[in-house]
Amino acid sequence: MVQVRAAAAQVISRILRQQGSLSSVLPVWQSQVREADRALLQELCFGCMRWYPQLQRLSGLLLEKPMRAKDSDVHALLLLGIYQLMHTRIPDHAAIGETVEAARSFKKPWATGLINGVLRRFQREREDLETRLANDHHYQSNHPEWLLSAFQRAWPQQLASILQVNDQHPPFTLRVNRQHIDRDHYLHHLTLQEIAAVVTPFSDDGIRLERPVDPRTLPGFAAGDISVQDEAAQLAAGLLQLQPGLRVLDACAAPGGKTGHIFEQQPDIGEVTALDSDERRLQRVTENLQRLGVEATLKCGDASQPDSWWDGQLFDRILLDAPCSATGIIRRHPDIKALRTADDIARLAALQGKILDALWPLLADDGVLVYATCSIMPDENTRVVEAFLQRQPDVVCDRLDVAWGLEQPCGRQLLPQSEGHDGFYYARLRKPAKTA
């Protein structure tokens, strides 16, 4: 078994070298530490990435010279050490001792002395270091400079709230399958188990738990009575205006939460195709739909290249949850602070427009396409749709008469809320029926 802090350093090191994400790297190392240490490994990795901009700034002041690229594991361990001293209840002597001990597994004899010396200096000089960084916007905002500037331009009035929410732990939200049980009855089940929960304000299916739990321990989970899904994501199915017998495409469907919700909202739906470009992620769709007891047509393919997977039959509804920067869900994926760059936004916006162009011909007359992202960047949202409207003559962007989000030139934008929904964007595009 690998020492838990050594494993955490390997995860962080891989992410900082752009060789994976928390979602892809952490599971590999979870199996290599003791079962009793897996929760701590997750806490160390998520916490270190959540506070990475500040930890990086502090390490820059504490180190006499930057670490070499080949010593990224030692640097990651140093960040983990500072994180423990700043943000956990681990006693300082244990945080330092265990972190230094982890360095021995790297077979770099100099590393133990360096980490011990730097962490003890941080203990002694913490107040002075934080005073030196009092006017450092990068440090104070705990966000990379490019992201801070982008948020400032897009949402100046909401900036403080966005930054604060991004550093919080995300809420734990369930979607009740009302084909099985109504929401009030499910709340009663939770009350009997002394699980504190409240209904969500905008989704009729949502329940937010006061504390996260293993969903497998919740009543009715195995039977498909509930699914774990943020409230913002639960709003997609309602925008599709589902009716019996329709043919629906869920593009970019994995892990299948929205696909399942389509069946729950309209059990007499005609046919649902769940498309994703990743075969392994499609397996998650299969597992989720099996648990809900529903069946979709699963296809592995690139949404921007329908010729490789489309059967030629038009769809009445298309849900496009497009690949995006995920800047609306940073609290769930804090490694975004280290992985994303300013260049990603333009690249993703181009891809989003390309997919819209490719899928639009697959939509039947009088059909509806819902465009969604978990981004709060206007360049990926309303501006993508505005550009699409200029390229396509046969499209109408519906005004969304709903109680949630901020109205945009096209669609509505949800910003992440403390103890509330994630950041999300929705636009509903309609293809007018041809007149004779």
Side-chain angles (χ1 to χ4, degrees):
M1 290 287 103
V2 179
Q3 204 259 26
V4 61
R5 288 168 178 78
Q10 295 296 341
V11 173
I12 300 302
S13 172
R14 290 283 301 272
I15 293 170
L16 297 184
R17 285 181 285 150
Q18 304 284 314
Q19 293 179 345
S21 63
L22 282 170
S23 300
S24 64
V25 181
L26 181 56
V28 175
W29 287 91
Q30 286 280 24
S31 61
Q32 298 186 46
V33 301
R34 296 185 310 152
E35 186 171 353
D37 286 335
R38 289 175 186 170
L40 176 58
L41 175 61
Q42 176 156 325
E43 157 60 21
L44 291 174
C45 292
F46 271 76
C48 189
M49 297 317 303
R50 181 169 288 117
W51 296 100
Y52 170 69
Q54 286 195 349
L55 301 175
Q56 177 73 346
R57 219 57 160 186
L58 286 166
S59 73
L61 294 180
L62 289 163
L63 289 167
E64 293 181 1
K65 56 184 179 182
M67 300 286 285
R68 297 173 298 183
K70 67 178 184 179
D71 296 322
S72 62
D73 50 355
V74 178
H75 187 210
L77 198 53
L78 183 59
L79 298 177
L80 283 162
I82 302 172
Y83 167 69
Q84 292 170 79
L85 294 173
M86 289 183 73
H87 296 290
T88 72
R89 290 182 290 181
I90 299 170
D92 287 5
H93 70 275
I96 295 174
E98 292 295 321
T99 304
V100 171
E101 188 62 28
R104 300 189 194 284
S105 65
F106 296 160
K107 301 191 184 309
K108 297 176 179 177
W110 54 269
T112 53
L114 174 79
I115 290 175
N116 185 58
V118 170
L119 294 183
R120 292 196 183 284
R121 184 183 162 203
F122 174 75
Q123 273 187 306
R124 293 191 305 271
E125 300 178 14
R126 176 174 178 175
E127 187 173 337
D128 177 58
L129 292 167
E130 291 181 334
T131 299
R132 290 168 63 185
L133 293 167
N135 295 318
D136 185 320
H137 294 304
H138 182 189
Y139 179 81
Q140 294 299 330
S141 72
N142 191 37
H143 281 66
E145 195 65 45
W146 76 268
L147 193 56
L148 177 63
S149 298
F151 287 162
Q152 173 72 56
R153 287 193 301 273
W155 309 107
Q157 295 180 359
Q158 298 88 357
L159 178 65
S161 172
I162 292 169
L163 298 179
Q164 181 185 35
V165 172
N166 285 349
D167 291 341
Q168 295 176 346
H169 289 265
F172 189 89
T173 308
L174 302 176
R175 184 188 79 229
V176 177
N177 183 352
R178 288 190 288 159
Q179 297 302 322
H180 290 192
I181 184 171
D182 70 42
R183 186 164 63 169
D184 288 342
H185 276 96
Y186 194 79
L187 268 176
H188 181 63
H189 286 323
L190 293 177
T191 301
L192 292 177
Q193 294 203 2
E194 298 183 340
I195 298 174
V198 296
V199 299
T200 54
F202 303 120
S203 168
D204 293 338
D205 301 327
I207 289 177
R208 190 176 72 248
L209 271 56
E210 188 173 283
R211 292 191 178 90
V213 300
D214 182 344
R216 295 170 298 182
T217 66
L218 291 170
F221 179 76
D225 292 352
I226 50 144
S227 298
V228 178
Q229 188 180 42
D230 182 72
E231 184 186 20
Q234 294 182 30
L235 303 173
L239 294 177
L240 284 166
Q241 300 179 323
L242 299 168
Q243 300 169 23
L246 294 182
R247 191 163 194 262
V248 181
L249 169 66
D250 184 359
C252 312
K258 297 183 186 68
T259 313
H261 201 196
I262 288 170
F263 284 101
E264 293 169 15
Q265 290 258 312
Q266 181 46 262
D268 295 323
I269 202 77
E271 179 186 350
V272 179
T273 298
L275 173 76
D276 203 89
S277 60
D278 189 326
E279 191 75 58
R280 291 170 301 176
R281 283 167 56 81
L282 271 178
Q283 182 59 36
R284 291 278 310 281
V285 180
T286 301
E287 293 166 1
N288 278 324
L289 297 185
Q290 285 177 342
R291 188 178 57 81
L292 295 174
V294 296
E295 189 173 345
T297 301
L298 269 60
K299 292 191 176 183
C300 185
D302 184 337
S304 70
Q305 299 181 30
D307 289 348
S308 64
W309 52 265
W310 184 42
D311 63 6
Q313 297 184 59
L314 297 173
F315 295 99
D316 303 296
R317 300 287 185 269
I318 296 176
L319 172 59
L320 170 54
D321 189 356
C324 71
S325 63
T327 43
I329 54 173
I330 288 177
R331 59 185 173 179
R332 297 186 190 280
H333 300 276
D335 48 345
I336 288 170
K337 291 180 178 178
L339 291 173
R340 290 275 181 260
T341 68
D343 292 342
D344 288 335
I345 304 304
R347 177 181 59 80
L348 287 162
L351 175 62
Q352 291 148 5
K354 181 180 179 183
I355 297 175
L356 265 177
D357 289 342
L359 293 183
W360 190 249
L362 280 56
L363 186 66
D365 290 347
D366 206 24
V368 164
L369 185 153
V370 170
Y371 175 79
T373 76
C374 55
S375 167
I376 62 170
M377 298 294 194
D379 284 350
E380 297 181 86
N381 296 333
T382 186
R383 287 173 196 145
V384 168
V385 176
E386 289 176 287
F388 179 68
L389 293 175
Q390 291 185 347
R391 293 194 300 272
Q392 292 287 341
D394 61 337
V395 55
V396 174
C397 184
D398 283 352
R399 182 178 182 276
L400 300 179
D401 185 18
V402 294
W404 45 261
L406 302 171
E407 186 162 17
Q408 300 296 290
C410 299
R412 292 185 79 87
Q413 180 71 58
L414 295 131
L415 298 177
Q417 302 294 306
S418 181
E419 296 300 321
H421 57 68
D422 287 343
F424 234 84
Y425 170 82
Y426 286 109
R428 186 168 62 209
L429 307 175
R430 189 179 303 277
K431 183 179 283 189
K434 288 187 173 62
T435 55

